[in-house]
Each structure stands twice: as structure tokens, then as C-alpha cells.
Amino acid sequence: MTTVVDVDLMADLKKFGATDVSACFSCGTCTAICPLADDDATFPRRVIRYAQVGLTDELLGAKELWTCYHCGLCSQSCPTKADPGEFMATARRYAIASYEPTGLARVIYTRPKLGTVVAVLVAAFFALFMLTQADLGGIHSPTLALFQFVPSELVHWLGVGTMVAMFAAGAWGVVRMTRALARRDGVTWADVAGSRAALRRSAAAAWSSLGVESLGQRRFREDCHDDQPAEPLWRRRWLVHALTIWGFLGLFGATLIDYGLELAGIKMTGTPIPLWYPSRALGTVAGLSLMYGVTVFLLSRWRRWTPAHATSTGSDWLLLTLLWITGCTGFVIEVALYAGQPPVWGYWFFLLHVAVAMELMLMVPFTKFAHAMYRPVALFFYALARDRVR
Ligand code: SF4
Ligand code: SF4
């Protein structure tokens, strides 16, 4: 196999925020202190070495990028101030931009002002598109009739189109990443699904990746020492992260329940429902969970509560702001829905809510949100490799 050396790799990485890791002399202090290093005597410094010598393919095929939770312990102990924790975060940004096919992630990460302009334009496009079909004058309803304002079919098909675009870009990135990881680890299709034993191993690795780590946050919760008892529970990073994920998934579940009820002919979209109705109750609890997580993350980045939040990129702020606007406008609409006399502002908040939610969905493969796709893949390979070592 030919090894390609990219002499511009370090310079390129710096555009994504890396501190100067050329000072790293591979002393191993970061490995000794990292709570996630396990028996890997080269984690995380091997990835730094790839960057130093210009091994782009090796860097992009390193599952270690995604097994780091950026607790920052290594950066605090590095004798040369190479900031390995921030380097790992930078390398993940670089990987997201390298996996996706359009170049939009690179713009968002390396030209944050332009990225923000693009984000505002995309949201404006969604809002204006819906506005061309909206009809506020023709509504004569005692409650907020959101889907008389914007037809539910329009919102539905706009959502389907956005999801298709998001899945296409996301699937492209996941396939590229999977191929890079498999090549570097020497994992073949036969290793994953070539026999019953292989399928059993893969199922166990998938459970470890998705169930135990992604949803259960096991290592983040148990091993990452930035969550020492001194850190108040309400702002421990694993908990805030978990509440954000569960809130997001809960909202997705509430949407699916609503859709299922419509398909079953039990409830039509837009029909007024009480607060205790399953999809509304789940949506409210999940929305509160999401808002809590996103608000604490915003405060943490603003006040720099943890080493992971000492440095924030434009993309970090963009993603959290979009999430916060989506959650907040969702609750404003809920208040308007149960107000006695339907307020006109409820309709405008609905337009803003749907436009930003669509944009958020479309942006998944191009922002930090993409780690929700890539980290489980890396954790799957990590679990497979651990199983092979045993
Ligand atoms: S990043 Fe710092 S602590 Fe880690 S090997 Fe390099 S010099 Fe040592
Ligand atoms: S930031 Fe924490 S988890 Fe990541 S490599 Fe450093 S010590 Fe390990």
C-alpha cells in the first residue's frame, strides 16, 4: 500500500483551530493521564504524530479521534503546552469537513462569518418558501390553526425533502469514514458479517457503541475525570450531553407518534389535543430536557466552565444557537396553542420554528452535530478491535 505524505496537513489543521502540536515530542504524559487510554500506549499521541508527519489518510482513519471526550486532562499535563485535547477536537472538525462531499463544513469551520451568513440564508429560504403558501387572512378558528396557516402537506414534503438531502450527505460521509477506519484497522466485510460468530461479535459491538456508550454515556460518565465530585451534578458534562441527546430523541419520537396516529386515522395533524396526550406530553418533557442541556452548554461555553469549553468555534455557537431557537420557539408555540384567544404572533413563531428546525436537520452532516453519526461508527470499530484483542 502506498503511503501519501501531505506536507500541508499541519497548516490545514490550524485553520480548524489546532494549537501548535509541532512541539509535541511524544513524551507519553498525555497517555499516562488519559482516563480513556486503556492499554493503548499510543493514545492520543499517535494521532498527533500522524498530523506532524502529514499522514492524512491515517488521521482520517483513526477511530481514536472519536473515542476522546475532550476532558482536557492531557492538555493540563502536557509539558510543551501542545494542547492535545484541543488538537483532538480540531482533528474531529477536520475529519467532518473531509468526509462530507460538498465543502460546506469546511466553510462553516474555517470561515465562520460566511458560514453564519449561509445558515441565515438557508433559514430565510425555508421561511420564505412556506410564506408563499401561507394564508393568515383566511383563518377563522377559535384556537391556533397552524396548518391552516401553512398547509400540513407543504411542511410534510419540505421535511421529507430536507431529510433525504441530509441522509444523502450523511450516508456519503459515513461510508467514507467506515472505509477509512476499516482500511486502517484491517477489518473486512467477512470480519463483520462473514459468519455467525462474526455477526454475534458485530451485534455485541453495535450494542456497546449505540446502547452502552452513545445512549448510556458509560465511559463519559464513569471515566472522564472532569466530572469529579467537585463539579456540581447539574453541570456535569456527561449528564448535560445525555439530557440533550435524550431530549432530541424524545422530540423525534413524539413526531413519529403523531405521524403514526395520523396514519392510523386516530388524530389528524393540527387537531387540538390536551397537554396530557402522549405525543404532547412526551414532546413537552423532551423539549424541557433539550432546552436544559443546550442552555447549560451555552452558559458553559460562555463562562468556560470546563477545559472542553475553553475554546469555542463559530460552528459550536451556530449549532447551539439553532438548537436553542428551535426549542424555545417550540415552547412559545405551545403557550400560544393553549392561550384562550389565538394570538397572531403564534403563527410567526411557528414559521420561525419550522424554518430553523428544517435548517438544523439539513446541517447535521456539516456541523458538530455530525459527531452523532461518526462517533457510533468509531465506537463500533473500537469495540470490534477490543474483542479481537481478547
Ligand atoms: S502532547 Fe504533550 S504530553 Fe502528549 S506526548 Fe506530546 S508533548 Fe507529551
Ligand atoms: S482530552 Fe481527555 S479523553 Fe481526550 S485524549 Fe485528552 S485526556 Fe484523553
Side-chain angles (χ1 to χ4, degrees):
M1 198 173 77
T2 318
T3 301
V4 180
V5 174
D6 178 3
V7 290
D8 296 325
L9 178 58
M10 276 296 287
D12 206 13
L13 276 164
K14 278 188 188 158
K15 295 181 195 155
F16 288 79
T19 50
D20 190 3
V21 287
S22 55
C24 167
F25 62 106
S26 210
C27 68
T29 308
C30 50
T31 305
I33 201 151
C34 175
L36 304 180
D38 291 335
D39 299 328
D40 183 355
T42 62
F43 180 82
R45 57 204 163 112
R46 187 207 294 233
V47 189
I48 296 176
R49 197 77 188 130
Y50 291 152
Q52 286 175 326
V53 297
L55 296 180
T56 308
D57 290 345
E58 296 291 329
L59 184 80
L60 294 177
K63 59 185 178 304
E64 293 83 355
L65 285 183
W66 306 92
T67 51
C68 158
Y69 284 113
H70 201 176
C71 67
L73 281 176
C74 53
S75 296
Q76 287 166 8
S77 59
C78 173
T80 62
K81 305 282 176 245
D83 202 350
E86 181 54 30
F87 170 80
M88 296 293 267
T90 298
R92 286 191 289 273
R93 287 176 214 130
Y94 178 78
I96 289 171
S98 303
Y99 297 144
E100 68 91 0
T102 67
L104 180 57
R106 177 172 275 270
V107 170
I108 290 172
Y109 280 129
T110 60
R111 303 178 69 187
K113 284 185 187 152
L114 181 58
T116 306
V117 171
V118 171
V120 171
L121 288 178
V122 171
F125 166 79
F126 280 125
L128 289 174
F129 186 72
M130 286 185 285
L131 211 49
T132 58
Q133 308 290 316
D135 178 15
L136 199 54
I139 300 173
H140 305 287
S141 167
T143 54
L144 209 64
L146 299 174
F147 294 106
Q148 281 179 38
F149 174 50
V150 182
S152 60
E153 293 77 23
L154 180 75
V155 176
H156 174 79
W157 287 112
L158 205 56
V160 170
T162 307
M163 269 201 174
V164 169
M166 184 269 280
F167 273 115
W172 180 288
V174 167
V175 169
R176 284 185 79 173
M177 179 208 195
T178 305
R179 290 178 62 182
L181 263 62
R183 198 165 41 232
R184 176 173 173 265
D185 277 13
V187 174
T188 64
W189 185 243
D191 295 327
V192 177
S195 64
R196 279 189 177 200
L199 281 172
R200 259 199 309 276
R201 275 197 305 273
S202 298
W207 168 245
S208 167
S209 160
L210 289 171
V212 180
E213 300 299 343
S214 299
L215 292 179
Q217 311 271 287
R218 188 184 62 86
R219 300 211 70 186
F220 202 178
R221 179 164 37 91
E222 292 177 1
D223 297 340
C224 281
H225 288 197
D226 77 319
D227 295 336
Q228 286 164 347
E231 186 78 10
L233 180 66
W234 64 272
R235 67 181 209 203
R236 285 192 197 171
R237 223 154 49 90
W238 73 264
L239 182 64
V240 179
H241 192 249
L243 287 172
T244 309
I245 296 175
W246 296 337
F248 195 80
L249 291 177
L251 286 170
F252 189 60
T255 309
L256 287 184
I257 292 174
D258 241 4
Y259 192 54
L261 291 174
E262 177 164 344
L263 284 181
I266 296 170
K267 179 187 90 62
M268 292 301 108
T269 302
T271 310
I273 48 174
L275 267 171
W276 53 261
Y277 207 78
S279 55
R280 179 58 44 82
L282 176 61
T284 304
V285 173
L288 286 171
S289 179
L290 179 79
M291 282 304 288
Y292 177 83
V294 173
T295 305
V296 175
F297 272 143
L298 278 167
L299 285 172
S300 181
R301 287 200 174 276
W302 179 41
R303 305 300 299 268
R304 301 181 182 189
W305 280 336
T306 68
H309 295 157
T311 310
S312 297
T313 64
S315 167
D316 296 325
W317 292 115
L318 179 65
L319 176 63
L320 289 172
T321 305
L322 290 177
L323 278 167
W324 197 85
I325 292 174
T326 310
C328 195
T329 50
F331 278 109
V332 172
I333 295 166
E334 197 158 335
V335 170
L337 274 170
Y338 294 99
Q341 196 62 29
V344 173
W345 48 260
Y347 293 101
W348 299 116
F349 271 99
F350 175 67
L351 199 72
L352 177 63
H353 177 75
V354 177
V356 177
M358 297 278 180
E359 155 150 53
L360 201 52
M361 196 157 48
L362 192 64
M363 289 288 201
V364 167
F366 312 108
T367 59
K368 191 175 182 179
F369 223 152
H371 80 279
M373 305 182 308
Y374 297 134
R375 197 185 291 272
V377 176
L379 291 173
F380 173 79
F381 276 87
Y382 178 79
L384 270 189
R386 203 179 40 198
D387 190 59
R388 281 199 294 181
V389 167
R390 279 185 190 145

